Amino acid sequence: MERTLSIIKPDGVEKNVIGEVLSRFEKNGLRVVALKRIQLSKSDAEGFYAVHKERPFFGSLTDFMSRGPIVVQVLEGDNAIAKNREIMGATNPEEAAEGTIRKDFATNIEENTVHGSDSPESADFEIKYFFNALEITG
Ligand code: CMP
């Protein structure tokens, strides 16, 4: 069993596809073991995406991530990190496979509807960024 951090980004909440996105995780064998709907401040978003702080899109990305509510969840299952990334599709929706969340819902490479941890180390950091131990029930 593995855990990963998943976010439905502001564009996904605006498009009213929270249920549709969560359903895709469940249909692919992942379980939602923690979940909340929150709004990040600009500095919350900067802290979450600190690994990208030198990237040219950092300012725009953190503006986007703090412009409206998000839904954050911990997903659990076999190979949850890789499985979630497969369900999401490529970062750029133009390159995302048919049937993936980003192919079906993303606006562009930045407003790409969902985030998922990319390694066990990032999953550990990202899960702890949003949830304490009492909020995760396996
Ligand atoms: P995510 O998987 O959350 O990881 C970092 C985010 O930065 C990514 O999804 C996109 O939202 C955004 N991003 C990545 N590359 C670019 C880019 N070239 N231009 C704008 N935003 C990007």
Side-chain angles (χ1 to χ4, degrees):
M1 279 295 172
E2 189 175 63
R3 286 176 176 172
T4 189
L5 192 279
S6 164
I7 302 177
I8 303 175
K9 297 184 180 186
D11 68 300
V13 174
E14 289 158 12
K15 290 166 187 151
N16 206 23
V17 294
I18 296 169
E20 173 72 27
V21 170
L22 295 177
S23 170
R24 290 184 184 210
F25 299 142
E26 293 182 335
K27 283 179 182 147
N28 283 282
L30 295 174
R31 299 188 73 83
V32 178
V33 296
L35 175 137
K36 58 187 162 190
R37 185 183 191 277
I38 56 174
Q39 181 157 3
L40 300 180
S41 67
K42 173 88 169 164
S43 76
D44 292 333
E46 287 169 347
F48 180 74
Y49 278 120
V51 290
H52 295 306
K53 65 177 184 295
E54 306 303 335
R55 303 284 189 99
F57 55 80
F58 184 66
S60 170
L61 172 63
T62 51
D63 280 344
F64 160 56
M65 288 299 291
S66 57
R67 84 170 179 215
I70 61 174
V71 176
V72 192
Q73 51 278 331
V74 178
L75 304 176
E76 184 179 86
D78 289 333
N79 297 312
I81 295 170
K83 190 178 282 184
N84 181 38
R85 293 178 72 75
E86 200 180 307
I87 298 164
M88 290 193 299
T91 304
N92 185 347
E94 289 176 16
E95 293 162 14
E98 292 295 330
T100 60
I101 293 170
R102 285 166 169 164
K103 176 73 175 182
D104 291 343
F105 301 117
T107 303
N108 55 45
I109 194 169
E110 179 169 276
E111 299 196 13
N112 62 357
T113 312
V114 278
H115 167 84
S117 310
D118 65 3
S119 66
E121 295 71 30
S122 68
D124 190 51
F125 167 80
E126 292 178 358
I127 290 169
K128 288 184 177 132
Y129 199 79
F130 289 109
F131 296 98
N132 68 43
L134 289 175
E135 293 172 314
I136 305 171
T137 51

